[in-house]
């Protein structure tokens, strides 16, 4: 396919796996039994994506507790009362709070990648959480004997190792999930928090070579959980100029659910620099209506009016059900939307003679 298309990361988990996760959390299911179900769900997800003709696969994050917290699963020195993220429909998600240092990842993303590689020979993309998101674990009141500066140094080292491990394991692409970028402007309208996030992420990205950064991407969206968002009311014009300062070769931009996608495309075109590719969202994971391939085609053609085909790609707006307990979207709907994305992108490429 001359216009590349990629998923973002999460795929809704089978109901049996969702129920197993709850049973495991309650102590009614062993680690081994849960791992067996997660392995089965991963294999099934990869097989289905292959069947749909996806040129790049993901494991659907079937084994992650969530896209954001997988590195700290099992970490001692965490309290449950960390930063709260409010969503537009009234529900919230809460991050843990770090209580002691030094900060170390307990799980690295290459372990998920290597497991997925056992089930397919197709190219696999691996999503990782951006260090800026994990910086929210450090409490505003500080930690005795462990300064914020020391924490950020440890965090940058751990994030670098997480990305590098995936590159060395043969990931087609490593994608930093940066949903907190748009949210930061809601938390701090001055933009200072976003500047801090950009600086931290660039501290990590700057440790990679140009060739390596060509395989690294950054995803932005206003959140997508239980069919709701946390920052869709923040103007993209405030985020995108700073987003494109990140030292990455690829950007995955939520677009299908925007009220005025052409305005966003004009902003992207103004910020576009040589040597990067922008994957625009052409399906909306939190809208239960399945897009047609023709709708996707038309969205790609509109994007091609502003972004050269050589710098254009497509994606879903966000991951489907990025938290393990989110059952708002079915697997069938997610796969139908993915099929529409793949087919519609191919139709657009043919129409453009790409």
């Amino acid at each position: 396919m001359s216009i590349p298309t990629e998923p973002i990361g999460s795929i809704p988990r089978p109901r049996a796996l969702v129920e197993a996760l709850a049973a495991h959390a309650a102590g009614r299911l062993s680690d081994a039994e849960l791992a067996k179900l997660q392995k089965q769900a991963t294999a099934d997800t990869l097989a289905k994506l292959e069947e749909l003709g996806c040129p790049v696969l993901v494991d659907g994050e079937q084994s992650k507790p969530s896209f954001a917290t997988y590195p700290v699963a099992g970490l001692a020195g965490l309290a449950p009362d960390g930063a709260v993220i409010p969503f537009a429909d009234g529900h919230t998600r809460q991050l843990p709070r770090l209580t002691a240092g030094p900060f170390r990842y307990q799980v690295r993303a290459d372990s998920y990648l290597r497991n997925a590689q056992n089930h397919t020979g197709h190219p696999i993309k691996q999503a990782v959480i951006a260090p800026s998101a994990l910086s929210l674990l450090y409490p505003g009141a500080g930690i005795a004997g462990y300064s914020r500066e020391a924490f950020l140094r440890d965090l940058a080292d751990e994030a670098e190792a997480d990305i590098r491990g995936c590159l060395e394991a043969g990931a087609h692409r490593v994608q930093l999930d940066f949903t907190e970028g748009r949210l930061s402007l809601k938390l701090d309208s001055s933009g200072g928090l976003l500047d801090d996030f950009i600086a931290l992420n660039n501290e990590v990205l700057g440790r990679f070579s140009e060739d390596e950064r060509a395989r690294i991407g950054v995803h932005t969206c206003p959140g997508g959980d239980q069919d709701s968002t946390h920052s869709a009311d923040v103007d993209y014009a405030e985020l995108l100029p700073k987003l494109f300062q990140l030292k990455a070769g690829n950007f995955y931009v939520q677009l299908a659910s925007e009220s005025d996608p052409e305005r966003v495309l004009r902003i992207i075109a103004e910020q576009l620099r040589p040597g990067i590719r922008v994957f625009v969202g052409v399906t909306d994971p939190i809208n239960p209506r399945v897009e047609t391939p023709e709708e996707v085609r038309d969205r790609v053609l509109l994007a091609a009016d502003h972004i050269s085909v050589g710098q254009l790609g497509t994606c879903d707006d966000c991951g489907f059900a990025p938290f393990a307990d989110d059952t708002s979207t079915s697997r069938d709907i997610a796969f139908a939307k993915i099929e529409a994305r793949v087919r519609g992108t191919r139709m657009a490429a043919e129409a453009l003679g790409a």
Side-chain angles (χ1 to χ4, degrees):
M1 185 177 293
S2 55
I3 298 177
T5 188
E6 298 180 9
I8 292 299
S10 297
I11 303 291
R13 293 144 184 87
R15 182 163 296 278
L17 179 53
V18 174
E19 293 172 352
L21 287 163
H24 180 264
R28 301 192 305 270
L29 191 73
S30 70
D31 291 348
E33 290 171 313
L34 177 62
K36 180 179 179 180
L37 288 171
Q38 289 172 325
K39 183 176 180 179
Q40 291 172 349
T42 296
D44 179 74
T45 299
L46 292 163
K48 183 63 176 177
L49 293 174
E50 283 190 31
E51 180 185 325
L52 296 178
C54 295
V56 176
L57 311 184
V58 291
D59 70 354
E61 302 189 327
Q62 303 296 290
S63 298
K64 284 183 180 178
S66 83
F67 79 102
T69 60
Y70 70 88
V72 298
L75 176 65
L78 288 179
D81 57 342
V84 175
I85 301 172
F87 284 77
D89 65 354
H91 87 276
T92 62
R93 292 287 182 178
Q94 188 164 26
L95 296 174
R97 172 175 57 87
L98 191 68
T99 61
F103 178 74
R104 298 289 184 269
Y105 280 23
Q106 303 301 290
V107 179
R108 296 202 185 281
D110 69 287
S111 63
Y112 304 114
L113 173 62
R114 294 177 190 278
N115 177 59
Q117 289 169 332
N118 291 328
H119 301 289
T120 183
H122 280 56
I124 301 176
K125 172 183 181 177
Q126 183 59 54
V128 303
I129 190 62
S132 51
L134 294 178
S135 72
L136 296 172
L137 301 182
Y138 193 87
I143 299 173
Y146 189 51
S147 68
R148 181 173 181 80
E149 291 72 23
F151 163 72
L152 291 176
R153 287 195 298 271
D154 288 341
L155 172 57
D157 290 344
E158 292 295 295
E160 177 193 358
D162 202 34
I163 298 167
R164 196 171 296 283
C166 294
L167 292 174
E168 292 175 351
H172 169 77
R173 197 94 65 204
V174 180
Q175 171 193 289
L176 276 68
D177 287 328
F178 186 48
T179 183
E180 69 280 4
R182 200 165 180 178
L183 176 64
S184 72
L185 290 165
K186 195 167 189 175
L187 301 175
D188 175 13
S189 60
S190 75
L193 181 58
L194 177 58
D195 289 340
D196 290 344
F197 283 171
I198 296 293
L200 174 58
N201 290 337
N202 269 341
E203 162 61 26
V204 174
L205 292 169
R207 300 179 183 189
F208 294 89
S209 69
E210 185 175 345
D211 287 345
E212 289 169 331
R213 288 198 293 269
R215 293 169 57 200
I216 297 173
V218 177
H219 169 238
T220 183
C221 74
D225 181 44
Q226 298 180 17
D227 287 349
S228 187
T229 63
H230 54 53
S231 54
D233 53 339
V234 173
D235 191 340
Y236 246 154
E238 299 179 47
L239 170 67
L240 291 176
K242 292 186 177 181
L243 177 77
F244 285 103
Q245 294 175 12
L246 288 169
K247 301 173 183 177
N250 306 274
F251 293 86
Y252 302 84
V253 180
Q254 164 265 343
L255 186 65
S257 56
E258 284 294 306
S259 60
D260 189 354
E262 189 157 21
R263 173 177 178 266
V264 178
L265 286 166
R266 288 195 295 268
I267 296 170
I268 292 172
E270 292 170 358
Q271 302 300 321
L272 201 59
R273 65 178 188 271
I276 66 171
R277 187 179 295 276
V278 179
F279 292 76
V280 297
V282 292
T283 59
D284 181 1
I286 67 173
N287 185 336
R289 189 184 71 80
V290 177
E291 295 84 355
T292 67
E294 289 77 15
E295 285 178 290
V296 170
R297 175 202 61 200
D298 292 345
R299 288 171 179 175
V300 180
L301 294 178
L302 176 63
D305 287 339
H306 300 272
I307 303 170
S308 70
V309 172
Q311 290 186 275
L312 180 62
T314 67
C315 61
D316 308 300
D317 267 4
C318 188
F320 296 86
F323 293 91
D325 61 354
D326 183 0
T327 58
S328 59
T329 302
S330 72
R331 280 171 74 81
D332 287 344
I333 287 178
F335 286 130
K337 284 175 172 282
I338 289 169
E339 182 178 19
R341 170 173 52 78
V342 172
R343 291 177 57 195
T345 301
R346 185 178 294 115
M347 291 166 64
E350 292 170 356
L352 291 166

